[in-house]
Amino acid sequence: MVQSKREVVTYDDKIAAWFLAATLMWGIVGMLVGVWAALELAFWPANGGVSFLTFGRIRPIHTDAMIFAFAGNAFFSGMYYSLQRLCKVRLWSDLLSRIHFWGWQFIILAAAVTLALGYTQGKEYAEMEWPLDILIAVIWIVMTVNVFGTLAIRRVKHLYVAIWFFIASILTIAMLHVVNALSIPVSFMKSYSLYAGVQDALVQWWYGHNAVGFLLTTPFLGLMYYFIPKTVNRPIYSYRLSILHFWSLIFIYIWAGPHHLLYTSLPEWAQSLGMVFSLMLIAPSWGGMINGLLTMRGAWNRVRDEPILKFFVLALTFYGMATLEGPLMSIKSVNLISHYTDWTIAHVHGGALGWVGGFVFAMAYYMVPKIWGKPLYSKSMANNHFWIATIGILLYISSMYAAGFTQALMWFATNDDGLLKYPQFIETVVAMKPLYWTRMVGGTIYLLGAIMCAYNLWKTAKSGKLVDETAEIVDERHGEAKTIHEKMEGHAVALSVGALIVVVIGGIIEFVPAFMMEIKAPMVTARPYTPLELQGRDIYVREGCYNCHSQQIRTFAKEEMRYGPASTAAEFVYDYPFQWGSKRTGPDLQRLGGKYPDLWHYRHMLDPRSTSPGSIMPAYPWLYDTNVNVDELGPKLNALNALGVPYEEATKKDPVSAYKQQAQTITESLAKDGVTVVPEAEIVALIAYMQKLGRDYNKDAKEASR
């Protein structure tokens, strides 16, 4: 029998503390931006007429800050803290840890600046342009090398369940990011997605759903398996349940992305596949929640006084709610009501503020006293933070649930004659304003709680000293494996390969048929965007219009009554990227072309209330003063041509002439109505794009094909 050796190890707690400090700082910033975005929906002049403060630009800053800065930094902090103790060894490389930290903070700062300036790929949760995508991949590799290097030198035989979740998260996010970010650069901060239309939608929501899953779910489940047992000083309730939880969750989760695209132009088989696997997600998700809650058995009497346990209970409760609600929302009859409404916003924020936020605060209250060697500055303040956070969440999500149900009921309501009861979309917008104010108040209350937390932890740290913990450990590298899974737990590479195979299977089965299908429809004659329309579309993407408008008419009667014939896959074959959107704060735009004259669009962008009284849309005065850079047209057309867009040789050789010719038509139309504008003005390009939407669809051809 091998004699166990006792050794002394000094953990690198500074890096965990740095990431935790960044978590709280960026979390407060991200929440503040979110509150400001909420204010803009309740009070449209809040952007002050400044381009980089409009809702379309700051909403991606808010979401990316909360996902990558708040949750991302929290994951890295908790992982680095727990990994060293689970492996009984210091992190493999202090240098790689520091590169990871500073590189990640630079990415966050660069993302905030570039998104505010309008540099975006127009894909939810993946808006950052290609230079930052590359930098994300580089920093992720740095982190991955450090983590696996640490696993290679560990002083334990078996990898604890928390590490399984860390490995799956690291590998899956890398795969998701690389596949979804593939694009052709046009210039330093402009690129076009490698995918178009339906395929782009499938890839994007495969990424969008699973980025949430493998950055906001699996990493924190791994942290749950470490921090809850440590807090209550009890082992995890069920090791066997943790095995079932891990493998079933990572296998099923990856398939569920298409449930974001129900009733759309996505093939029916893909929609059904997403719905079925989403419903299957309930079992492993609740298995994890139950395992976490039952681990706390015997400690419930402490919940009354311990803020850490309060936040863990809050987190697990909202995790259970969100992982039941999400699958239910994937049922078609439910999704009919929830999709494009504020119900989705309620669902997302219940998970983000309750599950992720609650867990991060619990983890922070646990770690800071440990790292700085002092008791929490004020336990009563932490307990008050819990109640403030809970009230804030409840105000937020209850107002958004009410808004979502109201929107759906108003959109689908009909009168005695079978006609739409609220034919003007603006009627729904006006009804939302009180609920948007309530949402802002709830978010503000939650933000105040986060500031209290930061102050409490700062005072705690200030009273102590950050010192790397030194521990005497027993070398356990020679343990025996009794089961096949225990043998796998002893080999990080085998476990990693197994996890990667499990998550790759779903992506391959969904992607291969979708990318091989023939996309055509008798009623659609797809035409590439002209140079002017393309420039207008890029402006649409730059301003983040997809955050408030959809371009996808769903396949049911009341949707078609409001907007026109349902969208078909053939209409989007030249859309790089797709712009279907996920929320309708404003109406769908898929059939907008030709509905209004050029003058209407000109006035609408200058003062939305002049054409739509009661609108909460901001004005865009800079579109009238800023001219398009026509030198960009050549590289843009060449890039799209390389992707398969069939531009004529004459257009490719001289896109500027084609641009000016079409622009002149619009300026002459406006001149007849007494409006003078130069052809190069951005508003002209945007009008051209608006007038193109839906023009490839021929209703008469559809009738003839029946």
Side-chain angles (χ1 to χ4, degrees), residues 117-363:
L117 294 175
Y119 297 112
T120 174
Q121 294 192 68
K123 303 174 76 168
E124 287 194 66
Y125 317 136
E127 293 90 353
M128 287 174 269
E129 270 292 359
W130 67 272
L132 292 181
D133 280 339
I134 292 174
L135 188 56
I136 289 172
V138 170
I139 296 302
W140 202 262
I141 290 171
V142 168
M143 179 264 292
T144 303
V145 170
N146 203 14
V147 169
F148 279 88
T150 304
L151 296 178
I153 62 172
R154 69 188 186 276
R155 291 188 175 93
V156 296
K157 176 68 175 177
H158 299 291
L159 300 176
Y160 179 61
V161 57
I163 299 175
W164 313 346
F165 281 94
F166 297 161
I167 290 173
S169 301
I170 290 168
L171 296 179
T172 306
I173 291 170
M175 174 186 71
L176 294 167
H177 173 71
V178 170
V179 173
N180 189 56
L182 292 175
S183 60
I184 292 185
V186 173
S187 61
F188 176 60
M189 289 302 288
K190 177 63 184 176
S191 63
Y192 288 118
S193 172
L194 210 62
Y195 321 105
V198 171
Q199 285 90 354
D200 192 34
L202 181 61
V203 173
Q204 163 59 24
W205 283 113
W206 171 76
Y207 164 87
H209 173 78
N210 292 301
V212 171
F214 286 86
L215 193 52
L216 302 185
T217 304
T218 54
F220 289 93
L221 290 170
L223 296 174
M224 176 197 78
Y225 278 115
Y226 177 82
F227 283 101
I228 289 183
K230 280 292 184 181
T231 302
V232 299
N233 197 28
R234 297 177 65 92
I236 196 70
Y237 171 70
S238 173
Y239 167 74
R240 291 181 179 177
L241 182 56
S242 69
I243 294 175
L244 289 172
H245 176 209
F246 173 73
W247 289 107
S248 59
L249 185 76
I250 67 170
F251 173 71
I252 296 172
Y253 215 113
I254 207 79
W255 295 73
H259 77 222
H260 291 267
L261 300 168
L262 301 183
Y263 290 106
T264 68
S265 304
L266 192 72
E268 189 68 31
W269 65 265
Q271 297 182 40
S272 299
L273 196 68
M275 182 182 74
V276 169
F277 275 88
S278 296
L279 290 170
M280 291 167 61
L281 263 177
I282 296 174
S285 298
W286 274 53
M289 177 193 69
I290 291 169
N291 215 2
L293 287 173
L294 291 181
T295 300
M296 298 172 67
R297 71 199 188 285
W300 287 100
N301 60 311
R302 294 165 50 197
V303 173
R304 180 175 59 253
D305 301 317
E306 285 293 332
I308 297 175
L309 293 180
K310 279 188 175 73
F311 275 107
F312 277 139
V313 171
L314 177 76
L316 288 171
T317 301
F318 272 98
Y319 175 68
M321 290 168 56
T323 53
L324 174 63
E325 181 185 32
L328 293 178
M329 291 169 70
S330 73
I331 299 172
K332 279 197 165 185
S333 56
V334 179
N335 189 269
L336 189 75
I337 300 171
S338 69
H339 196 51
Y340 289 133
T341 73
D342 282 306
W343 182 353
T344 303
I345 307 302
H347 167 67
V348 169
H349 284 79
L353 302 179
W355 158 238
V356 177
F359 194 95
V360 170
F361 294 135
M363 186 179 77

Side-chain angles (χ1 to χ4, degrees), residues 208-209 217 237 508 518-519 577 632:
H209 173 78
T217 304
Y237 171 70
I508 292 176
E518 185 179 7
I519 299 177
E632 298 175 342

Side-chain angles (χ1 to χ4, degrees), residues 36-53:
W36 194 265
L39 174 62
E40 291 191 1
L41 292 181
F43 181 63
W44 68 265
N47 76 311
V50 180
S51 62
F52 54 81
L53 290 181

Side-chain angles (χ1 to χ4, degrees), residues 152 167 276 340 444 466 479 562 637 698:
I167 290 173
V276 169
Y340 289 133
T444 302
L466 200 168
R562 183 174 295 278
L637 265 61
N698 187 335

Side-chain angles (χ1 to χ4, degrees), residues 617-637:
M617 176 178 159
Y620 292 83
W622 52 91
L623 299 178
Y624 301 78
D625 304 326
T626 308
N627 289 346
V628 168
N629 181 6
V630 293
D631 294 335
E632 298 175 342
L633 293 173
K636 287 182 177 181
L637 265 61

